[in-house]
Amino acid sequence: MIAAVKTYLLGAAIAALLAGNVATAQPVKTAAGTVAGTTTGDGKIRIFKGIPYAAPPVGENRWKEPKPAPSWQGTRDATEFGAQCVQVHIFGDINFSRLASEDCLNLNIWTPAAAATDRLPVMVWIHGGGFQAGAGPEPRHDGEAFARKGIVLVTINYRLGVFGFFSHPELTRESARNASGNYGLLDQIAALDWVKANIAAFGGDPSNVTIFGESAGSFSVSALMASPLAAGLFQKAIGESGAYFAGGTGTLGLQSLKATEEKGTKFASSIGDSSLADLRAKSSDDLLAAAMKVQPWFSPNIDGYVLREDVYTTFAAGRQAHVPLLAGWNADESRANVVLNPQKPTAQSFADDVRKRFGAQADAILKAYQPASDADAIESAAELASDTFIGHSTWKWIEMQAATGGGVPVYRYSFDRKIPVPPNHTVMGRPASSTDVGARHAGEIQYVFGTLVSVPDVVWEATDKALSDAMTSYWANFAKKGDPNGAGLPVWPKYDPKAPRVLHLDVTIKGAPDTTRARYEALDAFVSAQR
């Protein structure tokens, strides 16, 4: 399943592109070799796809740190996206049609720079998907809108699931770092190293890099801010829905190296393979199928190398990257899971569930969410589900960067747009409307990237297009100067924990005082008691 590497002599590459009526971009020389991409129809944006930033992590390199990409002769065709990383399609909103391969450590670039000397700000997108799915080349990640606002936009792939986050004592012993399991995060760091070494050739400024991501990508951004290996590789950070501040619970909770080694050993034994040689001999298809049957969820750990300690501990001590942060989450991250569930909560069942889940902190939780009636209980349950899934951890990230980040500016948003849905849309197998889905998890991505058209069958309104353009501008402004504000945009106030204000992104964009703080403080007391 290893993708074939296509390299051509410069003349042959250009001739082939012209034969296909594709506008060619001026070839660019990277550290490993020259690449030839394409341009948009007007010639203003150059696009380079499928550039390897590391060597294929296959064979003996499966479950090892990424190594530098091998060099090539001639000019490499960079007109098509590279392979996506091996994965199972478990999320309905992740849509792409690419070859799946372990040889997937590639990236894509959209640049408006006319020359290498332009030194434009750079944004590097880290996709979501629970560390199990996703890819840089998803249609909703197209970088043209950012490029047209003066940004060099980079999207990356990184190893996923069992290939990216499998931990095992034997892997730890063979590692010179005495660590195992965080290969996907190491891939992200390798991609940032590549950007630092090569992006100037594409007109980007390697000293003005913003990392941004959604869901698992946002968790990754918080982890990279805490990792000493990523120090100096970026100067600003944006997080959309999620961070490592909710303790060790849940599928994305950080666990110790020992705990993940024990799970890895159990997984290897369950499929009849007790040695690394046996595991590395398995085909990617067989290994993925076995993982999905036995242990379908692999994610980062505290390995003592990429992450020397819990992310919360790093931030509490002020050892994280002191970079400007823009972060927030969607108003209805998990609403659909509550309102479309046939078993609706009542005021009594909600209270009973809260007391069971939160123990000594239950009274504070109930006071914060205030379900006075059965109808209120549905709304309270939707809010609590969204907050425990995403809201609290992202709130805590913002709070801690504001408190221990060395005085850097911090900005917080709430994405509130009840997203239009296509006809006959279903969630959990049930018909769903925009009211049911609300401002759902991951729904802001196509607004941020200006790619509403990538979501099929939705009738977008003029207000959606205006909101999308504003969001792309806010994000681009932040990447340029660490401040999202700009001409023609409603003012986005800096975040101050003593008098917090939030920018609400909806058909009307406005800043307003935070009215939800009591909810997050109540949840924070519970999480703190678990540490």
Side-chain angles (χ1 to χ4, degrees):
M1 296 179 67
I2 301 175
V5 175
K6 297 190 290 183
T7 58
Y8 305 87
L9 295 176
L10 178 58
I14 293 177
L17 292 169
L18 289 175
N21 296 317
V22 177
T24 61
Q26 184 67 28
V28 173
K29 185 177 181 179
T30 73
T34 300
V35 292
T38 62
T39 70
T40 51
D42 61 6
K44 292 183 178 180
I45 308 299
R46 292 181 292 151
I47 306 167
F48 300 85
K49 301 176 180 178
I51 302 174
Y53 67 81
V58 300
E60 287 301 308
N61 286 331
R62 181 187 280 175
W63 301 313
K64 287 187 178 179
E65 285 191 55
K67 298 179 179 178
S71 58
W72 59 84
Q73 299 298 314
T75 298
R76 183 185 181 100
D77 179 5
T79 64
E80 296 183 1
F81 289 121
Q84 70 192 42
C85 293
V86 178
Q87 62 194 270
V88 171
H89 294 268
I90 54 177
F91 300 111
D93 63 334
I94 294 179
N95 298 307
F96 44 76
S97 178
R98 304 300 309 160
L99 171 71
S101 171
E102 286 187 78
D103 181 5
C104 62
L105 302 187
N106 57 74
L107 52 78
N108 317 291
I109 300 170
W110 288 258
T111 177
T117 55
D118 284 1
R119 290 294 193 269
L120 299 178
V122 180
M123 297 180 73
V124 179
W125 173 252
I126 305 172
H127 69 77
F131 296 109
Q132 318 304 310
E138 287 186 56
R140 59 183 172 174
H141 301 162
D142 186 275
E144 183 176 339
F146 274 115
R148 293 196 181 276
K149 293 183 183 291
I151 298 295
V152 177
L153 194 285
V154 182
T155 67
I156 68 172
N157 291 341
Y158 57 93
R159 280 173 282 181
L160 301 166
V162 68
F163 304 96
F165 300 98
F166 173 63
S167 183
H168 191 278
E170 196 172 339
L171 283 171
T172 302
R173 286 193 295 271
E174 80 167 18
S175 166
R177 316 296 185 179
N178 198 37
S180 66
N182 281 334
Y183 308 105
L185 291 180
L186 286 165
D187 293 342
Q188 296 172 14
I189 293 168
L192 292 174
D193 276 322
W194 188 97
V195 167
K196 184 174 184 179
N198 293 280
I199 206 64
F202 298 85
D205 184 353
S207 65
N208 188 8
V209 175
T210 299
I211 56 173
F212 70 131
E214 183 273 337
S215 196
S218 187
F219 277 82
S220 296
V221 170
S222 72
L224 293 173
M225 287 179 67
S227 176
L229 302 186
L233 296 179
F234 58 92
Q235 288 69 48
K236 303 176 193 70
I238 298 175
E240 302 171 25
S241 300
Y244 277 118
F245 291 90
T249 60
T251 55
L252 292 179
L254 279 175
Q255 296 184 313
S256 68
L257 174 62
K258 181 179 179 181
T260 56
E261 283 180 336
E262 290 173 351
K263 288 185 177 180
T265 300
K266 184 177 180 180
F267 165 69
S269 298
S270 69
I271 60 175
D273 294 312
S274 57
S275 72
L276 288 185
D278 292 337
L279 290 166
R280 285 179 170 139
K282 277 189 173 296
S283 72
S284 57
D285 287 343
D286 288 346
L287 187 63
L288 181 63
M292 293 306 297
K293 288 180 180 178
V294 180
Q295 185 181 326
W297 211 274
F298 295 82
S299 60
N301 64 18
I302 305 170
D303 63 350
Y305 174 48
V306 178
L307 294 174
R308 295 180 180 174
E309 58 195 355
D310 184 78
V311 171
Y312 169 85
T313 301
T314 299
F315 273 71
R319 289 190 286 265
Q320 77 277 22
H322 290 182
V323 299
L325 174 66
L326 183 156
W329 60 98
N330 300 352
D332 303 297
E333 296 277 358
S334 291
R335 177 182 176 80
N337 291 328
V338 174
V339 300
L340 295 177
N341 193 321
Q343 191 69 34
K344 298 292 191 296
T346 64
Q348 184 62 54
S349 68
F350 178 78
D352 291 344
D353 180 61
V354 167
R355 294 193 183 283
K356 181 178 179 180
R357 290 175 62 191
F358 295 97
Q361 280 75 39
D363 287 341
I365 299 292
L366 289 170
K367 181 179 179 181
Y369 289 85
Q370 299 178 336
S373 66
D374 288 349
D376 286 343
I378 295 174
E379 297 305 316
S380 294
E383 291 170 350
L384 182 59
S386 296
D387 291 346
T388 54
F389 171 43
I390 288 295
H392 166 260
S393 66
T394 317
W395 172 83
K396 188 64 173 178
W397 183 18
I398 293 167
E399 288 275 310
M400 296 198 75
Q401 185 68 352
T404 68
V408 296
V410 177
Y411 297 88
R412 174 180 158 190
Y413 73 84
S414 176
F415 181 79
D416 299 340
R417 173 61 171 148
K418 293 187 184 302
I419 302 167
V421 298
N424 304 314
H425 182 66
T426 61
V427 175
M428 301 171 59
R430 299 170 66 85
S433 68
S434 59
T435 302
D436 298 323
V437 173
R440 62 173 175 79
H441 183 65
E444 88 293 347
I445 295 175
Q446 57 265 24
Y447 287 83
V448 168
F449 276 86
T451 53
L452 298 180
V453 295
S454 70
V455 184
D457 303 323
V458 173
V459 179
W460 298 105
E461 301 173 10
T463 51
D464 291 296
K465 296 174 184 177
L467 174 59
S468 175
D469 184 64
M471 290 177 67
T472 309
S473 294
Y474 278 129
W475 267 235
N477 289 341
F478 181 78
K480 293 173 182 178
K481 53 191 174 69
D483 182 341
N485 291 289
L489 295 170
V491 174
W492 190 334
K494 289 183 181 179
Y495 187 77
D496 179 358
K498 295 180 181 178
R501 292 182 66 82
V502 182
L503 188 77
H504 291 268
L505 297 165
D506 203 338
V507 293
T508 298
I509 301 173
K510 61 181 180 180
D514 179 19
T515 60
T516 58
R517 189 176 186 87
R519 287 164 31 187
Y520 304 114
E521 288 181 336
L523 288 170
D524 200 49
F526 171 75
V527 172
S528 296
Q530 312 307 308
R531 287 195 173 96

